[in-house]
Amino acid sequence: MIEVEHLTKKFGDLKAVQDLSFKVEKGKIWGLLGPNAAGKTTTMRILTGYLPATDGKATVADYDVFEQPNEVKKITGYLPENIPLYPEMTVSSYLNFFSEIKQIPTSKRKEAVNRTIEISGLESVRKRLIKNISRGFKQRVGLAQALIHEPQILILDEPTTGLDPAQIIEIRQLIKSLKGKRTIILSTHILAEVTQTCDGVVIINEGKLMASDSLEKLTASYEEREGIFIRLRVGGKEKVSLFESISGAENVSFEDDGFKIEWTKGKDIRDDITKIIVDNELGLIEMRPLAMNIEDLYLKVISGGVDQ
Amino acid sequence: MKNIWAICKKEIKTYFTSPIAYVAITVFLVLVGFFFHSLIWWFNSQSLQMSRNPYYFQQLNINQMVYSPLFHNIGIILLFMIPFLTMRLFAEEKKMKTDELLYTAPISINQVILGKYFASLFVLLVMFLLTGILSIFTFAYGNPELSPILSGYLGLFLMGAAFMAVGIFFSSLTENQIVAAVLTFGTLLLFWVLNWASFSAGGIWKDVLNYASYFQHFDDMTRGILDTTDVVYYLSFSFLGLFLTHTIIQSRRWR
């Protein structure tokens, strides 16, 4: 659905994006991850047709962004980083304006505005001037603007910055509810956001691609150790030494009312662990694999330990 | 066309939901009203004096004695007011970053520019229509000729339109509205007085400077004479302003 090939953007001598390539499949949510000034916003601006690239190719739904920008713009919804709003307009007139310039036919405009207001939960502020509504509502108005023409593609630049935790969750749910129907790229530096909303991730740093894959594959390929978390009916911290005695067990710890046990990839010790539990009649309540933490993954990728 | 109308509607709404248009129109009308009052008063006193002499009385002409100087004054008021009406148009979009949404919507830069331009012309039109109230008095108590008044208004409108285009151009250059207004005002004033330099210039430059100055074109118009050269001059001025705006916006994307 979205394909970026060898994209490069220079501002004078500064290379904001260098030889960036990635692919996003239809109906998926992908996160664009990277530290500040990594080139996330520039990449998004190129995809939306706001900035021309210096080199390379970008296709959105089979339309070339540089050859057919108008076709791309028709099917793309874009929420820039600092939500652009007209403070002197009311919420509904703002949305009505965008329904007009996004080529929604006159007869369907009213319906589109009403539907968008409903989806984004703006009913209570629709008649108010944008300058007088709260930050959370402003963010929703921005998102509503991106959604109004029911675009196939949504490009959201840091959609949750500056919101309080409850608002973050609401916006995330709103984004998640669009999953499947739309292909979404969102940029963020909140790592939890990626694990909670995204199917895959593109990690960039200093304009270069560091990694790009689905979340499971990425974590799997960067994990050197595997581990499990177990919870037992009998016993607490004192049982740590019991598991430490297993040959190959590493980093055994007692956390969150359970045990974390790791081992080097390939040397599975799960059989030994179950044996100990059964032999000592400890009563297994819960057992699950420990996935590698997205924070660890991110830091690892950014610090350059990558050859992808 | 629909896109131009969408932009135009939005700009007109912004003019009239914020105080800008009301303040500008009110100040404009107060000033025009003051000039009109003074001119009428002067005309009346002249009429009174000349009523004793039938020959001179024949020479009295309300078009020449009231409307011509009034149009001149309106032209000068526009020179001061228009920079404030246009300074917002692009500078604000850039400051609020809303231009990013305009240029990622399926509309062209030309449509955005024209939409904004037409909105500014609408405000100009409202200003002129409201000054029409003054003419009710002159027609009720005197007998002015209509056609020079209309062509005077048309000329003024064309000049105002050219001023707006200059203002839009400077608004597209900066995200600071004050800077846009000051540059617009400076440029308009410079073109107004450009013919002064023609006194010292020689040869072809004399003609060039004379042609480039608003003043020359404006002077005929206040008397109700609308020459095609003047019309062409104002239209090409507007076109140049809007064309340069397009160039600026386009080139900014490519930097």
Side-chain angles (χ1 to χ4, degrees), chain B residues 83 86-96 167-184 252:
Chain B
T86 53
M87 64 179 189
R88 211 198 80 255
L89 289 170
F90 279 98
E92 173 104 335
E93 300 268 9
K94 224 172 310 139
K95 189 157 199 171
M96 303 301 290
I168 285 180
F169 166 65
F170 283 111
S171 183
S172 75
L173 276 183
T174 166
E175 56 172 51
N176 187 316
Q177 299 190 20
I178 308 289
V179 171
V182 170
L183 286 173
T184 310
R252 180 163 293 124

Side-chain angles (χ1 to χ4, degrees), chain A residues 9-11 45 48-53 70 73-74 78 80 82-89 93-94 97-98 100-103 106 109 145, chain B residues 2-3 5-7 9-11 13-14 17-19 92-93 96-108 111 116 252-255:
Chain A
K9 174 72 190 178
K10 288 184 209 162
F11 295 106
R45 283 181 168 173
T48 50
Y50 180 67
L51 281 181
N70 247 17
K73 287 171 184 180
K74 272 182 202 160
Y78 177 39
N82 19 33
I83 340 143
L85 300 168
Y86 295 111
E88 308 282 348
M89 285 174 117
S93 64
Y94 175 86
F97 170 60
F98 280 100
E100 283 177 58
I101 65 168
K102 290 187 175 186
Q103 322 293 334
T106 322
R109 239 176 251 156
Q145 162 276 128
Chain B
K2 240 167 57 187
N3 295 334
W5 173 232
I7 300 278
K9 229 170 34 185
K10 179 215 126 203
E11 290 303 334
K13 248 188 225 166
T14 316
T17 44
S18 65
E92 173 104 335
E93 300 268 9
M96 303 301 290
K97 314 267 185 204
T98 38
D99 57 336
E100 212 168 325
L101 290 182
L102 290 184
Y103 305 139
T104 54
I107 55 173
S108 71
Q111 289 167 337
K116 285 174 182 281
R252 180 163 293 124
R253 294 179 59 220
W254 285 95
R255 266 199 308 227

Side-chain angles (χ1 to χ4, degrees), chain B residues 147-148 151-152 155 217-228 230:
Chain B
S147 64
S151 63
H217 303 274
F218 179 63
D219 215 35
D220 283 348
M221 266 166 20
T222 57
R223 277 178 276 137
I225 305 161
L226 201 56
D227 207 321
T228 30
D230 301 335

Side-chain angles (χ1 to χ4, degrees), chain B residues 100-171:
Chain B
E100 212 168 325
L101 290 182
L102 290 184
Y103 305 139
T104 54
I107 55 173
S108 71
I109 294 175
N110 277 334
Q111 289 167 337
V112 176
I113 296 173
L114 285 178
K116 285 174 182 281
Y117 182 57
F118 291 147
S120 72
L121 296 188
F122 176 79
V123 178
L124 196 62
L125 198 65
V126 171
M127 286 160 85
F128 284 176
L129 284 178
L130 288 170
T131 63
I133 297 168
L134 302 175
S135 293
I136 295 175
F137 295 104
T138 53
F139 276 94
Y141 298 103
N143 52 348
E145 265 182 85
L146 182 63
S147 64
I149 296 177
L150 289 182
S151 63
Y153 264 117
L154 180 64
L156 263 185
F157 186 77
L158 287 173
M159 188 179 77
F163 286 7
M164 291 288 189
V166 173
I168 285 180
F169 166 65
F170 283 111
S171 183

Side-chain angles (χ1 to χ4, degrees), chain A residues 138-197:
Chain A
K138 282 181 181 158
Q139 191 88 23
R140 284 154 186 247
V141 174
L143 202 55
Q145 162 276 128
L147 287 171
I148 193 152
H149 54 311
E150 302 198 284
Q152 298 173 42
I153 314 279
L154 262 184
I155 294 182
L156 311 172
D157 200 351
E158 304 197 0
T160 56
T161 32
L163 299 179
D164 69 36
Q167 292 168 332
I168 290 180
I169 291 169
E170 282 170 16
I171 293 284
R172 259 184 219 156
Q173 269 161 355
L174 183 57
I175 294 170
K176 263 178 161 170
S177 71
L178 302 167
K179 194 171 177 165
K181 284 173 264 175
R182 320 203 187 293
T183 312
I184 304 176
I185 293 189
L186 61 88
S187 80
T188 180
H189 40 231
I190 305 172
L191 300 162
E193 199 147 281
V194 175
T195 35
Q196 285 176 24
T197 41

Side-chain angles (χ1 to χ4, degrees), chain B:
Chain B
M1 201 62 216
K2 240 167 57 187
N3 295 334
I4 298 176
W5 173 232
I7 300 278
C8 182
K9 229 170 34 185
K10 179 215 126 203
E11 290 303 334
I12 291 173
K13 248 188 225 166
T14 316
Y15 269 125
F16 288 94
T17 44
S18 65
I20 312 167
Y22 298 106
V23 171
I25 291 172
T26 310
V27 171
F28 176 76
L29 289 179
V30 167
L31 289 171
V32 173
F34 174 78
F35 284 121
F36 180 75
H37 174 264
S38 311
L39 287 165
I40 287 288
W41 192 85
W42 179 71
F43 181 74
N44 276 346
S45 64
Q46 292 285 307
S47 311
L48 220 59
Q49 274 178 22
M50 297 195 181
S51 58
R52 273 165 272 158
N53 185 330
Y55 174 72
Y56 283 119
F57 195 66
Q58 285 292 309
Q59 300 296 305
L60 279 174
N61 179 328
I62 191 164
N63 284 90
Q64 266 176 38
M65 290 177 72
V66 175
Y67 276 99
S68 178
L70 183 69
F71 285 145
H72 214 281
N73 292 334
I74 291 179
I76 293 168
I77 303 169
L78 289 180
L79 182 75
F80 284 92
M81 305 280 290
I82 282 182
F84 298 106
L85 285 171
T86 53
M87 64 179 189
R88 211 198 80 255
L89 289 170
F90 279 98
E92 173 104 335
E93 300 268 9
K94 224 172 310 139
K95 189 157 199 171
M96 303 301 290
K97 314 267 185 204
T98 38
D99 57 336
E100 212 168 325
L101 290 182
L102 290 184
Y103 305 139
T104 54
I107 55 173
S108 71
I109 294 175
N110 277 334
Q111 289 167 337
V112 176
I113 296 173
L114 285 178
K116 285 174 182 281
Y117 182 57
F118 291 147
S120 72
L121 296 188
F122 176 79
V123 178
L124 196 62
L125 198 65
V126 171
M127 286 160 85
F128 284 176
L129 284 178
L130 288 170
T131 63
I133 297 168
L134 302 175
S135 293
I136 295 175
F137 295 104
T138 53
F139 276 94
Y141 298 103
N143 52 348
E145 265 182 85
L146 182 63
S147 64
I149 296 177
L150 289 182
S151 63
Y153 264 117
L154 180 64
L156 263 185
F157 186 77
L158 287 173
M159 188 179 77
F163 286 7
M164 291 288 189
V166 173
I168 285 180
F169 166 65
F170 283 111
S171 183
S172 75
L173 276 183
T174 166
E175 56 172 51
N176 187 316
Q177 299 190 20
I178 308 289
V179 171
V182 170
L183 286 173
T184 310
F185 177 69
T187 308
L188 293 181
L189 193 60
L190 188 67
F191 270 93
W192 187 281
V193 297
L194 209 56
N195 66 324
W196 293 7
S198 70
F199 299 128
S200 56
I204 184 129
W205 284 108
K206 197 181 177 77
D207 296 332
V208 169
L209 287 169
N210 260 329
Y211 182 76
S213 171
Y214 298 131
F215 193 81
Q216 216 64 18
H217 303 274
F218 179 63
D219 215 35
D220 283 348
M221 266 166 20
T222 57
R223 277 178 276 137
I225 305 161
L226 201 56
D227 207 321
T228 30
T229 29
D230 301 335
V231 175
V232 168
Y233 171 80
Y234 286 122
L235 290 182
S236 46
F237 217 94
S238 299
F239 176 78
L240 188 70
L242 299 180
F243 174 75
L244 289 176
T245 310
H246 179 94
T247 316
I248 289 292
I249 294 172
Q250 189 72 294
S251 74
R252 180 163 293 124
R253 294 179 59 220
W254 285 95
R255 266 199 308 227

